[in-house]
Amino acid sequence: MLQIKIEDDTGSVSRQVRRLSPGLAFVVLLFTLVVSGCDQGRALSLHEDSSSNVFVWGRRGLDDGRFLKPRAITIDDQDRLYIVDMTSRIQVFDRDGNFIRSWRTPKCKQGKPCGLSISQDGLLMVCDTHYFRVLFYTPEGELIPERTIGGTNGRGPGEFGFVTDVVQDSEGNYYVSEYGDYDRIQKFTPDGQYVYQWGQHGTENGHFLRPQGLAMDAKDQLWVADASNHRIQVFDVSGDEPIFVRTIGSMGAEPGQLSYPYQIDVAEDGTLTVGEFGNHRIQQLDGDDGTAIRLWGGPGRQPGELHQPWAFAIDSTGSVHVVDSYNHRIQRFEWPGSGVALP
């Protein structure tokens, strides 16, 4: 007799199968496990590695809780995660991967969004990359057309190439990064009016090669993940024009070096967290001199390993939620309980 025991939300369910060959018994077991995991309101493929404090959820697919190359994430003040993938779906989850709702951007034939963030008034800002604009949604998924920034492809003020990220300063002004015809950053007032721009293709200070991610610190310093230059640039934007402050990082795979940094976050104490698409890892750096503090990840498909991560978000507990893009999943870990601390 084969006994199958499955744990679900309502308790354990046991099923007994008599007089089956070993091969058929395995098929029945596999089928039962698949059926029991088909609740689309729950996170799929959950795995918790207690030894390394890693929580893994999601897998490839089109159902709720599944992904096709997720590539942007943000988190609101209630620790709800917003994730967009290559289907142009925006899915919302709690911090444990339980599905809440989803919707799609108005158009996606030309391409999919690659940047998400939360505005100071609690709206979801979506960098609709290939439609040259920033969209604004309520947390419930209602589009607010009058808040849209951009929408025209071009080099003029307020026009965009491929939009990658958007953040706000202490006064509510918006900073939008783009690549394509221009690799630049444009500033807009809180009501969406153009103020100024800076940047161009290049490797000099103040020039960019795909500015992919942005972060604003408490001193109104704008941190730019200058992805294809494999560095982070910092600008003081508290005045009437941006002032270059410093550069962190150089190309490489050693601690403190970078390979295609796509996402950044700056803590209140100035600690910098960087997600590296090229090195398949997350680094924690000293924001002043770029000295590596901790590393997490590395190439692979096992829990704690990454395959070209596009983005991450940090919740109110300090846990880091990583978009493990080419593994079609999300991983959550905690500093300093995970990763490698460096001397």
Side-chain angles (χ1 to χ4, degrees):
M1 178 180 69
L2 170 68
Q3 185 177 52
I4 301 171
K5 187 175 183 181
I6 300 167
E7 297 288 335
D8 62 16
D9 290 336
T10 61
S12 64
V13 178
S14 295
R15 304 184 184 183
Q16 294 182 348
V17 181
R18 300 178 184 272
R19 301 188 186 90
L20 294 181
S21 67
L24 184 55
F26 175 78
V27 172
V28 173
L29 173 61
L30 181 61
F31 175 79
T32 306
L33 292 175
V34 170
V35 171
S36 69
C38 287
D39 181 358
Q40 294 183 7
R42 299 167 57 200
L44 300 174
S45 296
L46 300 180
H47 175 92
E48 188 159 13
D49 186 340
S50 60
S51 64
S52 58
N53 297 314
V54 179
F55 181 67
V56 184
W57 60 276
R59 64 186 182 196
R60 185 181 181 119
L62 296 174
D63 292 334
D64 295 339
R66 302 191 186 189
F67 305 102
L68 285 179
K69 294 181 183 177
R71 61 181 193 166
I73 186 172
T74 193
I75 192 165
D76 66 16
D77 59 3
Q78 298 183 42
D79 278 349
R80 293 177 297 201
L81 300 167
Y82 300 78
I83 301 168
V84 67
D85 68 4
M86 288 293 287
T87 69
S88 194
R89 285 182 305 169
I90 297 168
Q91 298 188 72
V92 187
F93 304 89
D94 67 19
R95 71 180 300 274
D96 292 322
N98 294 301
F99 176 82
I100 299 174
R101 67 178 68 91
S102 69
W103 67 88
R104 294 181 187 270
T105 54
K107 298 179 181 179
C108 64
K109 186 176 181 180
Q110 294 177 198
K112 316 304 187 294
C114 74
L116 300 175
S117 52
I118 301 295
S119 69
Q120 292 175 357
D121 55 354
L123 300 178
L124 177 67
M125 301 186 288
V126 178
C127 291
D128 200 6
T129 306
H130 298 270
Y131 290 89
F132 325 112
R133 62 189 178 182
V134 179
L135 302 175
F136 289 74
Y137 288 90
T138 67
E140 293 71 36
E142 179 184 351
L143 179 65
I144 307 176
E146 63 271 20
R147 294 287 295 272
T148 298
I149 298 175
T152 300
N153 180 218
R155 300 184 176 186
E159 299 175 341
F160 291 112
F162 298 121
V163 180
T164 56
D165 206 359
V166 55
V167 295
Q168 290 179 276
D169 64 20
S170 62
E171 297 181 351
N173 299 299
Y174 299 96
Y175 298 79
V176 183
S177 54
E178 62 179 291
Y179 74 98
D181 282 347
Y182 272 168
D183 282 37
R184 64 180 178 179
I185 296 169
Q186 297 190 61
K187 178 181 178 178
F188 298 84
T189 64
D191 61 355
Q193 301 302 307
Y194 171 85
V195 180
Y196 61 66
Q197 63 179 309
W198 79 97
Q200 64 183 60
H201 295 296
T203 60
E204 300 297 320
N205 294 337
H207 296 179
F208 307 104
L209 292 177
R210 187 167 180 151
Q212 180 66 34
L214 303 176
M216 187 74 67
D217 68 20
K219 297 184 291 186
D220 278 346
Q221 292 186 134
L222 181 67
W223 300 64
V224 182
D226 189 7
S228 296
N229 277 325
H230 313 287
R231 65 185 181 183
I232 310 299
Q233 294 197 62
V234 186
F235 300 89
D236 182 345
V237 294
S238 62
D240 294 332
E241 60 182 27
I243 299 173
F244 173 79
V245 177
R246 63 183 174 278
T247 293
I248 292 173
S250 61
M251 184 176 182
E254 296 298 317
Q257 295 182 322
L258 302 172
S259 178
Y260 298 100
Y262 270 20
Q263 180 85 51
I264 51 177
D265 179 85
V266 185
E268 291 183 1
D269 64 0
T271 302
L272 177 66
T273 303
V274 183
E276 296 178 71
F277 182 86
N279 280 331
H280 314 281
R281 67 186 182 187
I282 308 296
Q283 281 202 79
Q284 197 176 67
L285 307 175
D286 185 304
D288 291 327
D289 60 14
T291 300
I293 301 171
R294 293 184 183 89
L295 300 174
W296 186 88
R301 301 188 182 278
Q302 298 303 313
E305 297 175 340
L306 301 168
H307 189 191
Q308 295 179 329
W310 270 70
F312 66 86
I314 302 176
D315 68 25
S316 63
T317 72
S319 296
V320 184
H321 303 255
V322 184
V323 171
D324 189 3
S325 301
Y326 283 73
N327 284 328
H328 313 284
R329 65 187 182 183
I330 309 300
Q331 298 198 56
R332 184 183 77 202
F333 70 93
E334 300 174 3
W335 296 124
S338 299
V340 178
L342 301 172

